Amino acid sequence: MAHNKNVQVLEADIRAWVKDWNEDPKPIIWTKTAEEILDSLAHFRRRISGARR
């Protein structure tokens, strides 16, 4: 099934990225406050809420 193949490829890519990241980790520097991030997510959810209808 093509869908399963795509999921397997995505999973392999994510695992490779995590392995590479863990070999040379860098701190994450947040550029927005938690409130700004949550507001952005709420806006995104409102935007896509009708996308599957």
Side-chain angles (χ1 to χ4, degrees):
M1 226 170 148
H3 176 71
N4 287 339
K5 176 87 170 145
N6 291 340
V7 171
Q8 290 170 347
V9 169
L10 176 60
E11 184 177 345
D13 285 349
I14 291 170
R15 288 182 187 278
W17 181 88
V18 169
K19 182 180 177 292
D20 288 345
W21 179 269
N22 286 337
E23 289 175 0
D24 186 25
K26 297 169 187 67
I28 296 174
I29 300 171
W30 298 100
T31 58
K32 292 186 177 188
T33 66
E35 185 176 354
E36 288 171 323
I37 293 168
L38 293 173
D39 287 346
S40 180
L41 287 171
H43 175 73
F44 179 70
R45 286 184 66 198
R46 283 192 302 272
R47 231 180 60 208
I48 66 167
S49 65
R52 295 181 188 231
R53 294 181 188 175

